[in-house]
């Protein structure tokens, strides 16, 4: 047993020695290996690169790749430089993959180039045109394809669809591989339905109902009849504009402390509609207190300035009146030579009394000049057409009133759906840049018209016109009217800036044949040409002169026609010279809600031809708003013609009715020959008519574009130069006529439609009535 234990001890010691020897050998091997690796790393850091080789490139030159590589032949290799080189090469966007490796002293750069785009296509789009999508994306044919740019373009197109109200739109890009490392890029678009506005709610409003405030803002709730409108689609920019509209609405009604606390648009769970909520704080209503003008400018008369103040003490506060007064005072200072005058309203609130004291302070502002006028948005209209409507040019002294007038002038062209004139700082403190941003609209129009009367007189016409021909502001129009009673063809050409000056030049060609058998038992034919030339007399007035040569013929006279008509049968030549004087003092040339205008027309026939007379006519309008929703308009229309050396020919008498005094047919009022079979109208030498019209809300949604008005027409017509001893049947009662009625105007998606319903109140027994008139048109 003792011997066996001794052997076991010896074996254990041998094993321990073996383990120790193995561990020692492992440490020796590890130390040698580490030393080798270390020596290898040190050797690599100290390796001098003798060559940089580029592999895998097809279109891109090897030298281009080497130019982005920081490791050059003859320089030491460094992992840090290699990493930076990779980053620079990836940053070019030229490569899909890049690797670097050492082969001895040679650095090998292997690249995989990004493909070139062969074609960019869009599939599934209908709400947005392909050219609009093309303008939005950055990737175009012959541009290098990268995934980052594709994702960026997808985001831009998605945003475009969202601005169009399609929040459920999705776009999936597809890449089609082609030979020679080219690809076709196809965007598969699922537009989805428009995300409509299900409801618009207001919180905090007490004085005005939700319905009233919905009429104020530009955004509207969705409805079936708004299929051609975009106001019921969510637009964050429009929502910002609505906040401003609400603010203006309240400030014009005395709520000086009003503010929009928030405007939130919540998308429904199924992404089908938005629910918009405006939270408002109305505040209290204020009145105007003490109002005065303070000025440091010597030439300005204090009493004249105070006469221009629109607000009055005790009236309900109205921020709009303050803005209008600032314009009036600025303009008055400008006319006295103070082009840089500044008018600043100083407002002092007396909250306890709910009163606002107002002081208009007029000072000599810093001198500012127009450095540059930038015009954008006009792809068709030439810059000079817009520039000539500006009341300021580069280098002129800046004037806010003239800037506002310039904007009105551009809007008056009716070439643009939107005109934004802005002011921004120039290159120096005394310089400003004026920006004019416009959005063009179609200026060509195709108008259709039709009318019906109790005498079954039907008229259909077509008129083709272009107000901005070739984008030069030239006006062309041609009209063709074919009906049972009339055929008309005419052509008009007008250059509103003849010889590039503020002059008007025009040419007219016309020919017509009219059946007056039902009215006066004859047919009439007229052919001729005319020349026009006009120029401004002041900022608000113009004079248009003209010459016209015309061939007229009365033929197919009924055997039992009036002797007046029989005497007029035959041919005559008219050589007419005349003028139009027009003065416009309206607040808006397109849709006036205040002010007045007047047109005076005078013609002299006898400069050659076979007819001599003088004709005078006057047409005036006056507009006065009773409130925001009620507008009154007044019209005065009068004329008188006097023969020179002879009676006035039948064709030059006034045949009135229809639009002149509603409720009567054309030629339905005035002198008649009752001895003729048809009781022929023989025209009048004088007339005086007036119209009073009231436009009012009709309870229909404003987005429908239906306007309603009631009218009252009345006046006198008569006076004839026919010898009553020869023409015994002619009756000429210079008696009053009057009618009342209802007018409906609809700016439909297909064009304007107008309906007039009239009831005659005063007439003569021989007058011819017309209870209903209809007209319609469309634009292209």
């Amino acid at each position: 047993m003792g011997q066996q234990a001794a052997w076991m001890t010896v074996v254990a010691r041998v094993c321990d020695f073996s383990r120790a020897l193995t561990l020692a050998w492992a440490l020796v091997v590890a130390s040698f290996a580490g030393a080798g690796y270390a020596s290898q790393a040190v050797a690599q850091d100290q390796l001098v690169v003798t060559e940089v080789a580029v592999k895998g490139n097809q279109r891109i030159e090897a030298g281009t790749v080497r130019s982005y590589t920081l490791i050059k032949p003859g320089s030491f290799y460094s992992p840090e430089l290699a990493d930076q080189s990779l980053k620079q090469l990836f940053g070019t966007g030229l490569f899909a993959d890049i690797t670097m490796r050492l082969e001895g002293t040679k650095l090998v750069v292997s690249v995989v180039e990004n493909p070139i785009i062969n074609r960019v296509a869009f599939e599934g789009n209908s709400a947005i045109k392909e050219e609009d999508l093309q303008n939005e994306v950055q990737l175009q044919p012959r541009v290098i394809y990268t995934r980052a740019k594709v994702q960026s373009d997808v985001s831009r197109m998605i945003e475009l669809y969202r601005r169009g109200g399609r929040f459920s739109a999705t776009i999936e890009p597809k890449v089609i591989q082609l030979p020679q490392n080219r690809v076709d890029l196809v965007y598969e678009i699922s537009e989805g339905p428009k995300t409509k506005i299900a409801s618009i709610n207001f919180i905090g409003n007490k004085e005005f109902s939700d319905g009233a405030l919905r009429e104020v803002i530009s955004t509207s709730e969705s409805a079936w009849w708004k299929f051609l409108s975009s106001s019921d689609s969510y637009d964050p920019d429009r929502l910002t504009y609505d906040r401003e509209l609400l603010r203006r609405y309240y400030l014009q009604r005395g709520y000086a402390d009003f503010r929009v606390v928030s405007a939130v648009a919540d998308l429904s769970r199924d992404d089908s509609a938005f629910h918009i909520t405006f939270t408002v704080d109305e505040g209290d209503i204020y009145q105007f207190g003490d109002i005065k003008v303070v000025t440091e400018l010597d030439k300005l008369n204090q009493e004249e300035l105070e006469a221009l103040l629109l607000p009055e003490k005790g009236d309900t506060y109205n921020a709009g009146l303050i803005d209008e007064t600032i314009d009036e005072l600025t303009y008055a200072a400008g006319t006295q030579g103070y082009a840089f005058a500044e008018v600043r309203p100083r407002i002092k609130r007396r909250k306890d009394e709910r009163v606002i004291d107002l002081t208009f302070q007029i000072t000599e502002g810093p001198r500012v000049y127009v450095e540059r006028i930038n015009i954008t948005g006009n792809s068709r209209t030439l810059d000079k057409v817009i520039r000539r409507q500006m009341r300021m040019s580069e280098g002129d002294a800046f004037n806010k009133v003239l800037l506002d007038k310039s904007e009105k002038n551009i809007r008056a062209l009716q070439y643009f759906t939107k005109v934004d004139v802005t002011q921004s700082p120039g290159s120096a403190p005394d310089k400003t840049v004026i920006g004019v941003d416009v959005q063009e609209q179609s200026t060509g129009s195709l108008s259709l018209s039709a009318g019906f009367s109790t005498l079954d007189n039907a008229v259909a016409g077509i008129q083709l016109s272009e107000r901005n021909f070739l984008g030069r502001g030239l006006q062309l129009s041609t009209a063709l009217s074919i009906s049972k009673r009339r055929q008309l063809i005419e052509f008009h050409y007008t250059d509103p800036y003849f010889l590039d000056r503020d002059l008007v030049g025009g040419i007219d060609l016309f020919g017509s044949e009219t059946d007056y058998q039902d009215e006066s038992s004859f047919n009439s034919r007229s052919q001729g040409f005319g020349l026009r030339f006009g120029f401004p007399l002041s900022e608000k007035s113009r004079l248009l002169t003209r010459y016209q040569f015309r061939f007229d013929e009365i033929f197919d006279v009924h055997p039992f026609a009036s002797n007046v008509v029989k005497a007029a049968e035959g041919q005559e030549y008219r050589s007419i010279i005349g003028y139009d004087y027009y003065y416009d003092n309206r607040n808006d040339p397109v849709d006036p809600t205040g002010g007045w205008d007047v047109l005076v027309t005078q013609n002299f026939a006898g400069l050659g031809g076979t007819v001599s007379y003088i004709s005078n006519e006057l047409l005036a309008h006056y507009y006065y708003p009773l409130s925001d929703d009620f507008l009154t308009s007044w019209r005065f229309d009068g004329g008188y013609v006097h023969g020179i050396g002879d009676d006035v020919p039948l064709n030059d008498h006034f045949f009135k009715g229809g639009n002149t005094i509603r409720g009567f047919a054309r030629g339905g009022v005035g002198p008649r020959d009752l001895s003729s079979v048809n009781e022929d109208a023989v025209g009048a030498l004088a007339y005086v008519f007036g119209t009073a019209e009231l436009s009012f809300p009709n309870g229909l949604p404003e987005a429908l574009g239906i306007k309603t008005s009631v009218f009252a027409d009345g006046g006198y017509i008569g006076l004839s130069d026919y010898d009553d001893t020869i023409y015994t049947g002619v009756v000429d009662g210079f008696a009053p006529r009057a009618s009342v009625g209802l007018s409906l105007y609809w700016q439909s998606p297909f064009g304007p439609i107008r309906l007039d319903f009239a009831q005659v109140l005063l007439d003569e027994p021989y007058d011819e009535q017309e209870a209903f008139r209809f007209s319609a048109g469309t634009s292209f």
Side-chain angles (χ1 to χ4, degrees), residues 668-730:
V669 292
R672 287 184 176 276
D673 189 347
L674 300 183
S675 64
S676 61
V677 174
N678 290 331
E679 297 185 351
D680 298 331
V682 293
L685 297 181
Y687 71 94
V688 178
F689 290 114
T691 294
E693 192 159 354
L694 172 65
S695 300
F696 59 92
N698 50 31
L700 298 174
E702 187 176 349
L704 283 177
I706 298 178
K707 298 181 179 180
T708 311
S709 63
V710 292
F711 62 83
D713 294 346
Y716 291 81
I717 184 170
L719 300 183
S720 64
D721 52 359
Y722 303 119
D723 190 338
D724 55 6
T725 62
I726 300 175
Y727 308 110
T728 58
V730 175

Side-chain angles (χ1 to χ4, degrees), residues 310-576:
L310 298 179
E312 295 183 5
K313 185 175 182 178
D315 289 350
T316 302
Y317 175 80
N318 187 336
L321 293 179
I322 298 177
D323 294 336
E324 293 178 20
T325 302
I326 291 174
D327 290 342
E328 292 290 337
L329 294 175
T330 303
Y331 182 74
T335 58
Q336 295 298 321
Y338 294 101
F340 305 100
E342 285 188 352
V343 180
R344 296 181 179 178
R346 304 297 184 184
I347 294 176
K348 181 180 179 181
R349 280 183 175 85
R350 289 184 274 163
K351 291 189 175 182
D352 295 341
E353 304 175 41
R354 303 293 185 265
V355 171
I356 291 180
D357 296 328
L358 187 59
T359 301
F360 293 95
Q361 186 174 3
I362 306 177
T363 59
E364 179 72 15
R367 296 182 176 271
V368 179
Y369 298 89
V370 178
E371 178 181 12
R372 191 170 64 256
I373 299 176
N374 296 328
I375 300 175
T376 57
N378 55 318
S379 59
R380 179 168 174 262
T381 305
L382 300 182
D383 277 10
K384 72 175 185 178
V385 174
I386 301 175
R387 285 182 180 275
R388 64 196 184 194
Q389 301 300 325
M390 299 292 295
R391 290 295 172 260
M392 290 180 291
S393 301
E394 282 89 346
D396 289 351
F398 177 78
N399 188 300
K400 181 64 168 61
V401 175
L402 294 180
L403 187 68
D404 293 341
K405 287 188 175 182
S406 300
E407 182 173 357
K408 289 183 178 180
N409 290 344
I410 298 173
R411 289 184 64 246
L413 293 174
Q414 300 187 46
Y415 300 164
F416 313 106
T417 57
K418 182 190 73 171
V419 178
D420 288 332
V421 179
T422 58
Q423 176 194 1
S424 58
S427 58
D430 63 342
K431 294 181 181 180
T432 186
V433 176
I434 296 176
V436 181
D437 183 38
V438 298
Q439 183 175 333
E440 293 182 315
Q441 66 178 350
S442 61
T443 54
S445 64
L446 174 66
S447 298
L448 307 175
S449 62
F452 306 91
S453 73
T454 55
L455 298 178
D456 196 27
N457 291 327
V459 178
I462 180 172
Q463 179 177 355
L464 183 67
S465 65
E466 172 56 61
R467 303 190 309 274
N468 188 19
F469 185 63
L470 299 177
R472 298 177 178 272
L474 304 177
Q475 300 170 9
L476 297 176
S477 69
T478 180
L480 174 65
S481 176
I482 301 176
S483 68
K484 177 182 177 181
R485 63 183 302 271
R486 191 182 192 198
Q487 297 81 45
L488 167 69
I489 184 170
E490 57 184 355
F491 172 79
H492 303 283
Y493 167 81
T494 303
D495 186 350
Y497 273 78
F498 185 57
L499 300 177
D500 284 332
R501 297 178 179 271
D502 195 7
L503 305 172
V504 175
I507 300 174
D508 305 308
L509 301 173
F510 55 87
S512 66
E513 186 171 314
T514 307
D515 182 351
Y516 290 107
Q517 295 293 339
D518 292 337
E519 304 164 63
S520 303
S521 301
F522 70 90
N523 290 347
S524 174
R525 181 182 296 119
S526 181
Q527 301 169 354
F529 71 92
L531 302 174
R532 289 173 284 117
F533 179 76
F535 50 91
L537 296 177
S538 67
E539 183 71 24
K540 297 182 179 181
S541 63
R542 300 186 69 89
L543 182 69
L544 177 67
T545 62
R546 62 179 172 276
Y547 172 77
Q548 186 182 89
F549 186 83
R550 200 170 76 214
F551 162 78
D552 293 326
E553 181 182 9
I554 292 179
F555 64 100
D556 285 349
V557 175
H558 194 278
F560 302 106
S562 167
N563 290 332
V564 174
V565 178
K566 291 180 178 180
E569 186 175 12
Q571 300 178 355
E572 289 178 321
Y573 297 90
R574 287 167 171 78
S575 179
I576 304 172

